[in-house]
Amino acid sequence: IIFQDVNLHISPNKITLLTGANGSGKTSLLRVLSGLHKKYSGKIILDNQDLSAYSVESLAEKIIYLKQEPYANLVATTPIEDLGIRLHKYSKTKIDETAIISALEAFKMEDFIHKPIWKLSGGQAKRIGLAALKLSDNKFWLLDEPTSGLDTKLQNILLEIIYNHKAHGALIISHRLELFSQIADTIYIISDKKIKKINESIIVIMITSFGEIKKAVTAIKLGAYDFFTKPFDKTFLCSI
């Protein structure tokens, strides 16, 4: 049993963040919501219809699932072919090559458009999946650790893209509370096989050994701030 007594409502016009310790079931939940994992008890309702009633094709018209493993999102030999195949397969409207190139350029992949995928680094492969988001504006996004392998500049680009997608909704799984709490409307944490909504937050100010403020972030009670304490010498918690 991964979860017990879960009653979770994810709004289509909001950005929802889900966090929790490694192995707590975050990715398993996304696999269920994406339709990839069929074995679960209870009901999942999408647009007033049980998730089990959707075909793979009809579900792909409503959601896009970005997996954490960068190469797991790829199906073709080059970035431009990959996006063309994946996005055209279930799309009612054909996406032209110019739009695909523009999406790849947004994540600094313009020099790798025709490069064989097996020659790309993990971070570059991850960016192909992120480019697919820019071409899926009308879908609900399920994102599993979307910032892994990205530098700070690309993280900020992704943050803006997700925020601009708010009208269609997104569920983000991430340990990066200091990043995604900036745009998340609702934050949940997995704890003791239950999914709990966060109603009270704290400010975590992290001080280096030289007395400099390293990070000042909005974090969470119920233990989520433990994710941030290890790299730093001192942590001060202040209720807000």
Side-chain angles (χ1 to χ4, degrees), residues 23 25 46 51 90 94 98 104 106 115-116 147 173 176 182 204-205 209 215 223 231 235:
L46 174 64
L51 189 70
Y90 300 123
K94 186 176 181 179
T98 302
L104 288 167
K115 187 172 183 177
T147 58
I173 282 180
R176 299 292 307 279
Q182 300 176 55
V204 179
I205 300 177
S209 57
K215 286 185 180 180
T235 303

Side-chain angles (χ1 to χ4, degrees), residues 50-237:
D50 195 286
L51 189 70
S52 61
Y54 286 90
S55 65
V56 173
E57 292 81 3
S58 60
L59 194 57
E61 291 177 1
K62 291 182 174 293
I63 64 174
I64 183 169
Y65 173 31
L66 185 68
K67 301 172 185 176
Q68 182 176 357
E69 304 81 4
Y71 297 102
N73 297 297
L74 308 180
V75 297
T77 56
T78 66
I80 193 166
E81 291 175 353
D82 180 84
L83 289 178
I85 290 173
R86 284 196 290 139
L87 295 172
H88 292 178
K89 186 174 183 180
Y90 300 123
S91 179
K92 293 180 179 179
T93 303
K94 186 176 181 179
I95 302 173
D96 61 34
E97 185 172 299
T98 302
I100 294 175
I101 293 174
S102 177
L104 288 167
E105 288 175 342
F107 286 98
K108 312 303 179 186
M109 287 292 291
E110 59 268 23
D111 295 331
F112 306 97
I113 289 175
H114 299 289
K115 187 172 183 177
I117 281 176
W118 60 85
K119 292 185 177 181
L120 299 178
S121 68
Q124 291 165 346
K126 183 65 170 281
R127 282 185 264 166
I128 300 173
L130 295 174
L133 298 180
K134 285 188 64 66
L135 300 170
S136 306
D137 287 339
N138 62 332
K139 300 181 182 183
F140 187 88
W141 293 352
L142 299 173
L143 310 178
D144 193 349
E145 299 287 357
T147 58
S148 63
L150 303 183
D151 60 26
T152 301
K153 186 174 182 179
L154 289 173
Q155 289 176 18
N156 289 332
I157 291 173
L158 175 61
L159 207 67
E160 182 177 2
I161 289 172
I162 296 174
Y163 181 77
N164 290 336
H165 185 72
K166 181 176 178 177
H168 297 285
L171 172 60
I172 306 165
I173 282 180
S174 180
H175 291 97
R176 299 292 307 279
L177 296 176
E178 84 284 6
L179 184 68
F180 289 110
S181 61
Q182 300 176 55
I183 62 171
D185 298 290
T186 307
I187 302 176
Y188 291 94
I189 183 171
I190 299 176
S191 179
D192 298 326
K193 296 184 179 181
K194 296 184 183 298
I195 301 177
K196 304 175 182 179
K197 185 177 181 180
I198 303 305
N199 296 312
E200 185 176 6
S201 62
I202 55 176
I203 287 189
V204 179
I205 300 177
M206 296 167 180
I207 310 296
T208 68
S209 57
F210 301 102
E212 301 172 319
I213 295 179
K214 185 68 176 179
K215 286 185 180 180
V217 302
T218 300
I220 295 175
K221 283 188 176 179
L222 297 174
Y225 52 81
D226 290 341
F227 299 146
F228 300 113
T229 59
K230 292 181 180 179
F232 302 96
D233 301 301
K234 297 179 182 178
T235 303
F236 296 87
L237 308 181

